[in-house]
Amino acid sequence: MRKHLFCIIALAISKLCFGQNLLPPIYNYKLSEYKGGSKNWGVSVNQKGELFAANNQGLLYFNGEKWELHKLPNNTTIRSVALVGDKIFTGSYEEFGFWEKSDLGEFQYTSLTHLIKDHEFTSEEFWEIIPVNDKVLFRSFSTIYCYEDEKITFVDPPQIISDILIHEDRFIVAAGTEGLFELKNKELVPLPNQEALYGKTLTDMVSLGDNILIGTKLNGCYIWNGQDIEPWTVELNQILKQHQLNKILKLDENQIAFGTIKNGVYLFDHVTGSFKVLNREAGLQNNTVLSMQNFQNQLWLGLDNGLARTKLNNPIIYFTDFSGTLGMVYDMALYNDRLYMGSNTGVFYLEGNELKFVNGSQGHVWDMEVVEGDLLCGHNTGTYSVGPNTFEKVSDFSGGYGFERVPEQNSMYIQGTYNGLAKYVEDANGKWKVSRINNFTEPIKHLCFETPNILWAAHPYKGYYRLEMDGTYENVITKKEYHNQNAPSEYNIKLYNIKNQIVFRGENSWYKYDPIVDRIVIFEEFQKFNDHELLFFDQDYFWFVNREGKKEIIHTNLKQDSLTIADFSLDERLAPDSQNIIKINDSISYITLSDGFAKVNRNTLEDWLNGLNLPIPYLNVVRDESTIHPVSQNSARISYKNSQIITFEVSSPELMQPRYHYTLNGPKNYAEFVENGLIQFQNLSHGKYLFKVSSVGQDNEISRPTSFNFEIAPPWYLSNGSIALYILLGIGAIFVVRYYNRRKFKRKQRELEKQMKIEQEEKLAALEKEKLAREIKLKQNELASTTLNIAKKNEMILELKNMLVVNKDKFSNSQRYRSFIKKLNNSIQDTDDWKRFEVNFKELHEDFFERLLIAYPNLTPKDLKLCAYLKMNLSTKEIAPLMAISVRGVEIHRYRLRKKLEIDSSKSLSNFLITF
């Protein structure tokens, strides 16, 4: 990049002789793009910048984003088109009328031929439509029709009518080969002194001040000054005679466009007499121009095959080699007032309008540089000194990538080559001495000095090196490589010395060398340009370009001053990793392209941008999945079921390749730059939204927005009716739940009451049982006590009785003895004791005797008494005194009772009676 600092060039360089080759960019619209007929007989542009073309297949409409073809009811070719207010008038075969656009963007056609009275068509086609005040004129070759106030009048002269011009309120008619006439009172009156036009086919006319410029098919142009007609005496007129003039269009006060059949369009400046040609060699897809229209310095061309559009005052102009001879340009240099280009095919230069090849330079050129007054070319086969007719070898070292001047040395340079480094020294005779630098053989593509003896070198694929040179610059003393976590990758590293800092361009970021810590670190100043390449820099400004996506060149001082250059030709023709900028002076720069170069005038660009009123985009269509909503209402309500995809079609037809920035504010928010006018949103949530879209200019300036409000209705389950139903259902549910809870509560209450009652009864029963148990225990104790007392009493009585029996002889009175014995027997057999026992026993075992008698009815009272004692689990010894019998007697009685009860001897009699 430093090579340009050695070019001391005057400002006048911008007016070089090859300016004729530098043309504004041409954008071609092909048949495959607009899907119509090949021929476009007429073009017209409305105030928005929308194009209407009279096409072979119908009316062709282009809003800057989208093409539409509208056919006539009879499918005939449309030959002419003109705009009058909101109406688009067209002329066809035996048919003319107008089109109108509805609120939904649909074009509807209305024929006017039914208004013609007392006249029949004679195979007429309408080639021209001319609005005049409140009238519209339709011209065929034979008749002129006038549409006014829903009526049509006509003029049917005998002459062939080839053109009509309104000049100073006069209707000037070109009558084929018969010259010029003035239309007066439906009659054609010939103009005087026009013998020069007789026999020449007149094609078109334009007003030039008080004069009329008259174009003929094969005889060039003539000037009518109001009295006489004379040939047009300019150099271009001779060229027009060769290429069959077809159309003339006045662009402004200084420029006229001439459309030809054989060689495209000539742009003529009648003040300077210079001209430029837009033809196939300049990028026009077809040389036959059928129609032209100028809109805001944008020239629309209707061609025999397609359409084209060009910016007449484009601040970036281009040189293009459509032959393919030049190839991709890698570098350029201005030397001795000639512009040289180094490409992949050799060295070329421009001389006048002609691209010339430097003989012997065939091969790949990497570098073109003016060094110490010589133009040196780094070539695939070596390094050469270049002149218009010379190509002399300076070095045999192949692959000269670029030169770097050695600091603090006179006329000494280091060059990177395919096989290491080469030193260049210019001697006193102006001859270059070239030698290889020892101890280093790696291919080097980029170089920059850190200090006079420290050189940084970048390998195309294997990284970069910090090289220390000896004092003679003949040897590399040390070589150091850097590998750490912050270092860039080793592939395709580019090196720059920016304000005494060694800066690296890696694959994903910018880095710099920090000499204090001897490491590669992030270069913070360039971080916002991580996705850009650095094309050129000087002390104040930097030129960046996008690495991917749409190519935009940014000219910035990293502060407030910034200029963005975006142009469709740059986007298509900038070569990745090979683009380059050559700065000529503070205003003029050249950009290398894949098939030529571009010239940028910064002052013109800034003036153009400052004067550009960036257009507000137009909202053409708002569409959901089933409905197109009128944009004129500026609002829409969209049903939820149709809102899965909402499409906005916007356009900015005044811009050649428009870009947009949109925002969407609502329940969901979006903001984005887009490259086309089709903006879609998917699956937006319901609610109110505000959509805004703006045009984006060449300097990334954003226009005032176009707005549209829309509301997405909630889904049916969230509609007002549904919400009301949900409220009613909610209220009903509350009542149902309340009713259910109350019933549940009452049921639970009843259950609890019942449970409490049961528990209370159980507690009472338990208490009662406990009480009964205590009572039973008490009665058992009482019964046991009573039984024990009876047993003791009887036992005592029996002992007394036995004592009396033993001492019977001691009684003197036998009667008294018997009386004592009787009383004792009566006491033993006292029934009162038994009754008390029986009462207490029955209280404990109330139905024992009844059940026993039911089961065993043959039991005697004595048996029942024994059963009662056995149930009380009394032993035989305890039972004997109770029954006033001996133990033996009890055992006998038990034995008899066992038989009556039919109890086996193996079973316990007491257990049987206890459990009975």
Side-chain angles (χ1 to χ4, degrees):
M1 298 298 180
R2 281 181 166 272
K3 58 190 177 182
H4 310 299
L5 298 177
F6 300 100
C7 301
I8 304 175
I9 302 166
L11 186 62
I13 288 174
S14 61
K15 298 181 179 179
L16 289 172
C17 59
F18 54 81
Q20 295 285 357
N21 291 299
L22 291 165
L23 299 171
I26 300 172
Y27 194 94
N28 292 298
Y29 299 93
K30 297 182 180 180
L31 176 64
S32 59
E33 186 174 354
Y34 62 76
K35 301 290 191 298
S38 60
K39 293 177 173 58
N40 293 282
W41 301 102
V43 289
S44 187
V45 182
N46 64 12
Q47 293 180 350
K48 294 180 178 180
E50 297 172 321
L51 172 74
F52 297 87
N55 186 265
N56 263 14
Q57 294 188 8
L59 177 64
L60 200 60
Y61 165 69
F62 179 57
N63 64 8
E65 293 288 345
K66 182 180 179 182
W67 291 94
E68 294 178 6
L69 179 66
H70 302 278
K71 295 187 177 184
L72 289 169
N74 55 5
N75 289 328
T76 54
T77 296
I78 293 180
R79 299 290 187 181
S80 57
V81 61
L83 296 169
V84 181
D86 294 332
K87 295 181 179 179
I88 305 102
F89 287 87
T90 57
S92 180
Y93 177 75
E94 295 186 350
E95 174 64 43
F96 59 82
F98 62 86
W99 305 74
E100 289 183 297
K101 191 176 184 181
S102 69
D103 289 340
L104 297 179
E106 299 174 348
F107 286 90
Q108 299 173 344
Y109 179 70
T110 301
S111 176
L112 297 176
T113 55
H114 67 282
L115 299 176
I116 301 173
K117 308 296 183 184
D118 302 324
H119 180 79
E120 292 184 2
F121 289 124
T122 55
S123 297
E124 297 177 60
E125 288 190 288
F126 294 93
W127 294 91
E128 190 174 9
I129 302 173
I130 307 166
V132 184
N133 299 325
D134 296 331
K135 304 175 183 178
V136 180
L137 303 182
F138 296 88
R139 177 190 66 81
S140 69
F141 283 132
S142 62
T143 311
I144 301 172
Y145 298 85
C146 179
Y147 171 64
E148 183 180 14
D149 297 331
E150 300 300 320
K151 295 181 181 179
I152 289 181
T153 58
F154 59 89
V155 177
D156 192 6
Q159 297 89 353
I160 293 175
I161 305 169
S162 57
D163 192 33
I164 298 176
L165 174 67
I166 311 301
H167 177 69
E168 296 179 347
D169 296 328
R170 300 171 66 184
F171 287 79
I172 307 300
V173 178
T177 60
E178 299 180 38
L180 298 180
F181 295 79
E182 183 178 356
L183 179 62
K184 293 181 178 180
N185 298 322
K186 295 188 178 183
E187 297 290 335
L188 294 185
V189 179
L191 298 181
N193 304 319
Q194 56 171 325
E195 291 79 8
L197 297 180
Y198 291 155
K200 300 175 178 64
T201 303
L202 307 185
T203 57
D204 206 354
M205 301 178 290
V206 294
S207 297
L208 290 181
D210 296 333
N211 302 329
I212 295 177
L213 180 65
I214 305 160
T216 68
K217 188 174 183 179
L218 297 172
N219 300 96
C221 294
Y222 292 81
I223 289 288
W224 180 64
N225 59 13
Q227 295 296 326
D228 300 315
I229 296 177
E230 299 177 351
W232 192 36
T233 57
V234 297
E235 178 187 355
L236 176 62
N237 204 27
Q238 298 302 316
I239 298 174
L240 295 177
K241 293 178 182 180
Q242 303 173 18
H243 298 299
Q244 193 173 338
L245 178 63
N246 188 39
K247 291 292 180 181
I248 305 175
L249 178 66
K250 185 178 179 181
L251 301 175
D252 54 35
E253 294 302 320
N254 298 329
Q255 291 191 87
I256 304 173
F258 296 89
T260 69
I261 297 297
K262 297 181 178 180
N263 198 38
V265 176
Y266 288 85
L267 304 176
F268 175 72
D269 189 326
H270 65 81
V271 175
T272 63
S274 62
F275 62 88
K276 296 180 179 180
V277 60
L278 305 179
N279 54 16
R280 282 188 64 86
E281 292 181 2
L284 197 65
Q285 64 180 331
N286 185 266
N287 274 338
T288 300
V289 179
L290 302 179
S291 55
M292 297 186 293
Q293 177 72 43
N294 184 30
F295 174 76
Q296 295 183 357
N297 286 312
Q298 296 180 30
L299 181 61
W300 278 98
L301 303 175
L303 306 176
D304 187 64
N305 185 13
L307 288 149
R309 186 183 188 187
T310 183
K311 291 181 181 179
L312 296 176
N313 63 341
N314 200 58
I316 307 172
I317 51 180
Y318 297 86
F319 173 84
T320 307
D321 173 42
F322 288 94
S323 68
T325 303
L326 176 61
M328 181 180 292
V329 178
Y330 281 81
D331 203 357
M332 301 169 65
L334 192 63
Y335 181 66
N336 292 337
D337 292 340
R338 281 195 177 96
L339 188 66
Y340 288 83
M341 290 159 279
S343 75
N344 61 309
T345 61
V347 179
F348 297 80
Y349 65 95
L350 280 171
E351 188 171 272
N353 292 327
E354 187 177 356
L355 181 68
K356 292 190 174 182
F357 180 70
V358 176
N359 293 327
S361 67
Q362 55 266 23
H364 201 299
V365 175
W366 295 105
D367 184 45
M368 298 289 296
E369 208 160 329
V370 178
V371 181
E372 300 296 331
D374 292 334
L375 177 59
L376 298 185
C377 168
H379 195 275
N380 188 55
T381 60
T383 299
Y384 297 82
S385 176
V386 182
N389 300 307
T390 60
F391 195 69
E392 298 177 356
K393 181 172 282 192
V394 175
S395 167
D396 289 326
F397 301 136
S398 60
Y401 282 119
F403 290 93
E404 190 70 16
R405 181 179 178 274
V406 179
E408 302 178 5
Q409 298 291 328
N410 293 324
S411 303
M412 182 183 292
Y413 296 83
I414 304 296
Q415 182 190 45
T417 71
Y418 288 169
N419 298 294
L421 302 174
K423 182 179 74 169
Y424 285 70
V425 179
E426 187 180 38
D427 61 17
N429 297 322
K431 299 294 183 180
W432 290 99
K433 294 183 179 180
V434 184
S435 60
R436 184 181 297 280
I437 296 176
N438 300 319
N439 303 327
F440 191 82
T441 60
E442 301 290 342
I444 295 300
K445 198 169 186 179
H446 298 277
L447 295 169
C448 65
F449 276 94
E450 178 186 347
T451 67
N453 291 96
I454 301 297
L455 176 68
W456 286 85
H459 191 288
Y461 309 106
K462 296 183 178 180
Y464 44 94
Y465 314 96
R466 187 171 185 260
L467 307 177
E468 184 179 357
M469 314 287 289
D470 64 6
T472 63
Y473 294 93
E474 295 181 354
N475 301 288
V476 173
I477 301 174
T478 61
K479 179 180 75 171
K480 186 173 182 180
E481 299 181 45
Y482 290 81
H483 303 283
N484 58 60
Q485 60 181 359
N486 290 325
S489 64
E490 297 178 346
Y491 176 73
N492 200 21
I493 293 296
K494 296 180 180 179
L495 292 170
Y496 309 90
N497 188 322
I498 298 176
K499 297 181 180 180
N500 296 321
Q501 296 188 90
I502 304 301
V503 177
F504 304 81
R505 178 62 177 126
E507 284 191 332
N508 301 311
S509 186
W510 289 92
Y511 304 85
K512 72 174 182 179
Y513 171 68
D514 189 336
I516 297 176
V517 296
D518 191 28
R519 292 187 65 180
I520 309 299
V521 297
I522 296 294
F523 187 41
E524 298 294 342
E525 289 85 342
F526 278 11
Q527 286 309 294
K528 71 176 183 177
F529 297 104
N530 277 341
D531 56 348
H532 290 72
E533 294 280 359
L534 181 62
L535 296 180
F536 176 79
F537 66 94
D538 53 26
Q539 293 300 316
D540 299 314
Y541 284 90
F542 300 86
W543 296 75
F544 292 96
V545 66
N546 304 63
R547 300 188 75 179
E548 298 178 355
K550 189 176 182 65
K551 299 292 184 177
E552 295 178 343
I553 295 176
I554 299 175
H555 181 251
T556 179
N557 62 357
L558 301 180
K559 299 175 183 176
Q560 295 181 350
D561 191 2
S562 180
L563 177 66
T564 300
I565 303 172
D567 194 87
F568 70 89
S569 289
L570 287 178
D571 186 31
E572 294 174 351
R573 299 167 63 185
L574 278 172
D577 296 326
S578 300
Q579 59 262 38
N580 194 5
I581 286 183
I582 296 87
K583 183 178 178 182
I584 303 301
N585 53 49
D586 290 339
S587 178
I588 303 300
S589 299
Y590 291 98
I591 304 172
T592 61
L593 301 174
S594 59
D595 54 359
F597 63 88
K599 177 184 176 182
V600 182
N601 188 319
R602 188 177 191 276
N603 294 334
T604 303
L605 181 63
E606 288 181 340
D607 293 341
W608 182 79
L609 291 172
N610 292 332
L612 178 65
N613 186 14
L614 194 61
I616 301 172
Y618 296 98
L619 183 58
N620 302 313
V621 174
V622 178
R623 181 174 57 246
D624 58 33
E625 289 192 329
S626 66
T627 307
I628 297 177
H629 301 275
V631 297
S632 59
Q633 298 179 5
N634 202 34
S635 63
R637 181 175 173 84
I638 301 172
S639 65
Y640 185 79
K641 69 177 181 179
N642 295 327
S643 67
Q644 277 66 40
I645 299 178
I646 300 175
T647 302
F648 292 86
E649 293 184 12
V650 299
S651 65
S652 187
E654 298 178 41
L655 303 176
M656 290 190 68
Q657 276 200 322
R659 295 183 299 148
Y660 306 94
H661 178 266
Y662 72 83
T663 60
L664 183 68
N665 298 319
K668 290 186 177 180
N669 296 317
Y670 299 90
E672 191 173 349
F673 287 91
V674 291
E675 299 294 330
N676 60 68
L678 185 65
I679 302 171
Q680 288 187 333
F681 301 99
Q682 297 183 0
N683 300 319
L684 293 177
S685 58
H686 66 277
K688 294 182 179 180
Y689 291 87
L690 175 61
F691 172 75
K692 292 183 179 181
V693 60
S694 302
S695 298
V696 179
Q698 194 173 52
D699 196 25
N700 277 344
E701 179 187 358
I702 296 177
S703 72
R704 290 188 295 112
T706 294
S707 302
F708 189 84
N709 294 280
F710 67 96
E711 180 181 1
I712 299 177
W716 65 266
Y717 51 84
L718 293 178
S719 64
N720 293 335
S722 298
I723 291 174
L725 178 62
Y726 298 153
I727 293 173
L728 293 176
L729 290 175
I731 295 173
I734 291 172
F735 280 105
V736 170
V737 171
R738 182 178 174 84
Y739 174 75
Y740 172 77
N741 286 338
R742 291 186 67 180
R743 290 198 60 183
K744 183 177 180 181
F745 175 76
K746 289 182 178 180
R747 184 174 68 251
K748 193 71 175 177
Q749 186 178 21
R750 288 194 299 270
E751 291 176 354
L752 288 173
E753 289 176 352
K754 183 176 180 181
Q755 185 176 355
M756 289 178 66
K757 186 175 181 180
I758 292 172
E759 289 178 356
Q760 187 176 10
E761 290 176 351
E762 288 178 350
K763 287 182 179 180
L764 291 174
L767 291 174
E768 186 69 22
K769 185 177 180 181
E770 186 177 348
K771 181 180 177 183
L772 291 174
R774 286 197 301 271
E775 291 180 354
I776 290 171
K777 186 67 175 176
L778 183 62
K779 289 184 178 293
Q780 286 177 342
N781 292 336
E782 185 178 350
L783 180 61
S785 177
T786 301
T787 305
L788 184 59
N789 289 335
I790 293 172
K792 287 184 177 180
K793 185 197 72 169
N794 289 344
E795 186 178 359
M796 185 178 293
I797 292 173
L798 287 173
E799 287 180 358
L800 289 174
K801 182 180 177 181
N802 291 332
M803 290 177 63
L804 289 175
V805 171
V806 171
N807 297 300
K808 178 179 179 181
D809 294 335
K810 292 182 179 181
F811 278 90
S812 57
N813 188 348
S814 59
Q815 184 66 31
R816 193 175 183 181
Y817 168 77
R818 287 194 296 271
S819 176
F820 279 138
I821 293 299
K822 184 177 180 181
K823 286 182 179 181
L824 291 175
N825 289 334
N826 288 338
S827 295
I828 293 172
Q829 298 176 359
D830 188 1
T831 59
D832 291 337
D833 291 335
W834 167 250
K835 288 180 180 180
R836 285 195 299 274
F837 174 83
E838 187 178 13
V839 170
N840 291 331
F841 183 84
K842 285 184 177 180
E843 287 181 356
L844 290 174
H845 313 286
E846 55 183 285
D847 59 347
F848 175 74
F849 291 128
E850 289 79 1
R851 290 188 290 111
L852 196 61
L853 286 174
I854 291 172
Y856 306 101
N858 58 344
L859 293 177
T860 64
K862 191 174 182 179
D863 293 333
L864 294 175
K865 187 181 291 188
L866 179 58
C867 288
Y869 293 148
L870 289 173
K871 188 171 182 63
M872 289 182 63
N873 199 23
L874 298 177
S875 63
T876 301
K877 188 176 181 181
E878 291 173 333
I879 294 172
L882 291 173
M883 298 185 68
I885 58 176
S886 62
V887 173
R888 178 65 181 169
V890 173
E891 292 176 351
I892 293 171
H893 199 174
R894 286 176 62 130
Y895 173 75
R896 292 174 180 169
L897 181 60
R898 182 185 294 271
K899 283 190 174 184
K900 288 182 180 182
L901 297 178
E902 298 177 354
I903 298 173
D904 188 79
S905 59
S906 61
K907 295 182 179 180
S908 171
L909 179 60
S910 295
N911 289 340
F912 172 77
L913 292 173
I914 289 171
T915 58
F916 185 81

